[in-house]
Amino acid sequence: MDAPKSCTPEEVATVNVISAKDLLGSNYCYLDVRTPEEFSKSHIDHAFNVPYMFITQEGKVKNPEFLKEVSLILKKDDHIIVGCNSGGRGVRACVDLIEAGYENVSNMEGGYSAWVDAGLTSAGDKPAEELKSKFRP
């Protein structure tokens, strides 16, 4: 049996939003790790939402079921682009996924905010600032 893979945030592959858009037009999946509240405001078409963290009365708490929930919708050999709001949670989620054996994982640089800033959203006439969220308790 192979030893668990070790990964640091600096080792996570990163793609910019233009590259991510192109890759999502092929065989890549988009894993949105924002909270359900953030996701419901606006999200990338055909995205899977599995929150990496939740906001609770105690503050930000990592989703203890994150890897289990991901395993129910994505396979370890799927090509996955991970995104959050601005990139931080996405990198941490990528580290966990890579260490769990997921083989083709990239973080979308700048997260959904960068996607919105690049004009890639299909959310109609909503102003960009309405589509972005601040992950703060």
Side-chain angles (χ1 to χ4, degrees):
M1 183 173 189
D2 292 337
K5 183 171 180 173
S6 168
C7 180
T8 66
E10 297 77 25
E11 296 172 312
V12 171
T14 301
V15 296
N16 66 40
V17 293
I18 302 303
S19 296
K21 183 180 186 317
D22 292 342
L23 292 169
L24 292 171
S26 61
N27 65 337
Y28 280 70
C29 302
Y30 187 78
L31 177 62
D32 191 320
V33 298
R34 297 178 298 157
T35 65
E37 295 80 15
E38 291 172 296
F39 186 80
S40 69
K41 285 175 85 172
S42 180
H43 57 268
I44 293 173
D45 291 340
H46 312 293
F48 295 106
N49 180 226
V50 179
Y52 185 72
M53 298 186 89
F54 297 109
I55 297 176
T56 68
Q57 291 183 359
E58 292 79 33
K60 298 174 191 174
V61 177
K62 184 176 171 184
N63 177 359
E65 300 295 319
F66 176 72
L67 291 172
K68 179 181 176 186
E69 291 174 21
V70 171
S71 73
L72 297 174
I73 54 174
L74 296 169
K75 298 180 298 219
K76 291 193 175 185
D77 62 348
D78 283 339
H79 289 79
I80 305 167
I81 296 174
V82 177
C84 60
N85 187 56
S86 61
R89 284 173 283 171
V91 168
R92 291 190 296 277
C94 286
V95 167
D96 285 4
L97 291 167
I98 292 165
E99 289 182 346
Y102 287 82
E103 300 167 12
N104 306 296
V105 179
S106 299
N107 185 49
M108 187 170 76
E109 183 178 28
Y112 189 68
S113 289
W115 183 272
V116 171
D117 288 343
L120 301 175
T121 182
S122 60
D125 296 329
K126 286 185 179 178
E129 291 309 312
E130 273 187 41
L131 303 176
K132 298 178 191 179
S133 59
K134 302 287 185 224
F135 186 65
R136 304 280 184 260

